[in-house]
């Protein structure tokens, strides 16, 4: 915000480490996806971390992105006719995007905080959220994803197995390897020394 002064010492070191996590190649891929998903009307940012931040800062592009992942008629984020100029309205727009992203399936730990984007505190976290959103869209494969499917990794999906009653019964007779085996050496036919002599 306006009252944030320059960082010194450890806070500057921490901020520079956070800034080093930002990936310029990933930025290019995300911009291509957002333009493919939302259309050329969203424009393109200036290259670099700050250009990307300014492009997304008012929340309109993010809202259009998440809305484009839903079928028409069920858009989760309301987009105003004119882009918001007041700070709290812009932050509110970003917060609506974050809630819609969570509702879409992005895990809470992958969701950035509003100040990470608005104050450019952690743009790498913004990239992580957009990557998670893209991966979910590719994985869902519901026809609402536009762009190259190879831009994002598919998330692992549950592969449920169904067993018949006879297969389940058969499984109860199997001895697990942790318990040893019932095949192989046994003590059958072995004798140890002479049998005990009982003298009466």
């Amino acid at each position: 915000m306006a009252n944030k002064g320059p960082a010194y010492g450890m806070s500057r070191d921490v901020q520079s480490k956070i800034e080093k996590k930002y990936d310029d190649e990933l930025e290019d891929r995300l911009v291509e996806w957002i333009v493919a998903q939302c259309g050329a009307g969203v424009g393109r940012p200036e290259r670099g971390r700050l250009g990307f931040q300014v492009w997304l800062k008012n929340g309109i592009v993010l809202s259009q992105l998440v809305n484009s992942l839903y079928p028409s008629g069920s858009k989760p984020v309301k987009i105003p006719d004119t882009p918001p100029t007041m700070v709290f309205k812009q932050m509110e727009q970003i917060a609506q995007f974050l809630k819609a992203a969570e509702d879409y399936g992005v895990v809470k730990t992958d969701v950035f905080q509003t100040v990470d984007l608005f104050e450019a505190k952690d743009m790498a976290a913004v990239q992580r959220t957009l990557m998670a959103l893209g991966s979910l869209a590719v994985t869902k494969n519901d026809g609402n994803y536009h762009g190259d499917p190879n831009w994002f990794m598919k998330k692992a999906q549950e592969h449920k197995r169904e067993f018949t009653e006879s297969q389940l019964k058969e499984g109860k007779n199997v001895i697990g390897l942790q318990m040893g085996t019932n095949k192989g050496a046994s003590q059958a036919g072995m004798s140890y020394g002479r049998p005990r002599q009982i003298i009466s």
Side-chain angles (χ1 to χ4, degrees):
M1 298 286 248
N3 60 357
K4 188 177 81 174
Y8 297 100
M10 191 155 62
S11 60
R12 184 176 59 198
D13 293 344
V14 169
Q15 189 60 39
S16 70
K17 282 182 182 177
I18 289 171
E19 288 172 7
K20 284 179 186 168
K21 290 181 183 178
Y22 186 80
D23 186 347
D24 291 321
E25 289 177 24
L26 180 57
E27 175 197 315
D28 294 339
R29 188 175 356 145
L30 290 171
V31 168
E32 289 303 319
W33 174 52
I34 292 170
V35 171
Q37 191 71 37
C38 302
V42 293
R44 286 181 178 275
E46 288 183 28
R47 283 190 57 86
R49 191 173 61 83
L50 290 177
F52 192 59
Q53 184 254 350
V54 168
W55 188 49
L56 301 175
K57 185 178 179 178
N58 66 8
I60 297 296
V61 174
L62 292 173
S63 300
Q64 289 176 343
L65 174 65
V66 78
N67 280 351
S68 70
L69 296 173
Y70 285 85
S72 57
S74 62
K75 308 292 184 194
V77 180
K78 186 176 186 305
I79 300 174
D81 297 331
T82 56
T85 53
M86 293 172 29
V87 171
F88 77 93
K89 286 287 188 188
Q90 292 176 345
M91 293 179 90
E92 192 177 89
Q93 196 70 39
I94 295 169
Q96 286 181 33
F97 160 77
L98 295 174
K99 183 183 181 324
E102 274 188 63
D103 293 344
Y104 191 73
V106 176
V107 185
K108 200 168 190 70
T109 53
D110 286 341
V111 175
F112 67 88
Q113 300 293 312
T114 305
V115 293
D116 292 340
L117 170 58
F118 198 79
E119 297 180 5
K121 288 206 182 273
D122 190 357
M123 290 304 292
V126 175
Q127 287 184 321
R128 277 194 310 273
T129 302
L130 294 174
M131 280 298 291
L133 188 65
S135 294
L136 274 169
V138 168
T139 305
K140 285 188 178 185
N141 196 16
D142 56 5
N144 292 317
Y145 175 82
H146 305 296
D148 187 350
N150 297 322
W151 285 338
F152 301 101
M153 298 285 293
K154 275 191 170 182
K155 294 223 180 252
Q157 293 178 304
E158 181 182 31
H159 182 68
K160 207 165 184 132
R161 292 167 178 81
E162 297 292 330
F163 296 103
T164 63
E165 199 62 42
S166 63
Q167 286 174 321
L168 290 172
K169 280 184 182 175
E170 201 174 299
K172 289 181 181 174
N173 298 330
V174 176
I175 296 175
L177 292 176
Q178 291 99 343
M179 297 176 212
T181 179
N182 60 355
K183 295 177 176 50
S186 72
Q187 291 182 343
M190 293 182 75
S191 62
Y192 294 99
R194 291 177 26 183
R196 187 171 163 202
Q197 301 293 318
I198 300 175
I199 303 171
S200 47

